[in-house]
Amino acid sequence: MYKKIVVAIDGSDHSFLAAEHAIELAKLQTGTHVEGIHVLNYEKTKSDVLHSSDPIQLQMQREEKFKRFRDAFEKAAVPYKLIMKHGEPAPMILEHARDTSADLIIIGSRGLNPLQEIVMGSVSGRVAKRAKCPIMIVK
């Protein structure tokens, strides 16, 4: 049914729940591959770099943030790939799903930035509005 699942990962608990749903769906059918995409927002990335004295430590912090995602995929023995891109989250998630011919996008209902959600609307809402493939929003 789903051969390629794209799951949006931002390190939040909601995105971890989305990853768990991706794992469960992938285990139902042999040959399903999951791609976790993390989009680094330009402003957040610029701020992190400017306030960090050690770029290696900054990279290690980012890697540590996604350790529980890697551990969950590996424990479940589900084929996966974690991808990091720079840009606006919703358009980049949609572009990646389109470019990789994703069969399903899974995304958490809330991310790490509630203030931005109030001002601009949720990433999940924008992805749901524009997606060309089925989408699952996990609460």
Side-chain angles (χ1 to χ4, degrees):
M1 181 172 204
Y2 301 118
K3 290 289 185 187
K4 169 87 51 105
I5 298 172
V6 170
V7 62
I9 295 174
D10 67 1
S12 69
D13 290 337
H14 284 271
S15 72
F16 188 71
L17 289 172
E20 288 182 322
H21 275 72
I23 288 168
E24 291 307 313
L25 285 173
K27 288 183 346 185
L28 294 174
Q29 182 176 339
T30 307
T32 299
H33 180 80
V34 178
E35 290 193 359
I37 180 170
H38 174 64
V39 181
L40 294 167
N41 186 297
Y42 287 121
E43 292 304 314
K44 174 88 170 101
T45 303
K46 184 168 65 173
S47 172
D48 287 348
V49 169
L50 289 174
H51 292 97
S52 175
S53 59
D54 184 2
I56 295 170
Q57 182 183 11
L58 180 62
Q59 183 62 30
M60 287 173 51
Q61 288 171 340
R62 287 180 180 155
E63 292 294 325
E64 184 62 31
K65 186 187 238 184
F66 300 104
K67 182 180 182 331
R68 74 177 179 161
F69 292 90
R70 280 191 188 88
D71 291 348
F73 283 108
E74 288 171 11
K75 182 179 178 185
V78 167
Y80 77 99
K81 180 178 179 181
L82 293 180
I83 298 156
M84 205 174 287
K85 295 193 175 199
H86 291 271
E88 288 293 319
M92 292 305 294
I93 292 165
L94 292 164
E95 179 182 303
H96 182 75
R98 183 194 67 231
D99 292 350
T100 61
S101 302
D103 299 305
L104 175 67
I105 299 170
I106 303 178
I107 189 167
S109 62
R110 293 186 178 269
L112 290 173
N113 193 338
L115 177 63
Q116 186 179 33
E117 184 176 320
I118 292 168
V119 175
M120 297 172 46
S122 69
V123 172
S124 58
R126 286 180 282 164
V127 169
K129 234 183 238 185
R130 294 180 179 88
K132 301 293 184 204
C133 66
I135 176 169
M136 176 188 293
I137 299 175
V138 178
K139 283 185 147 189

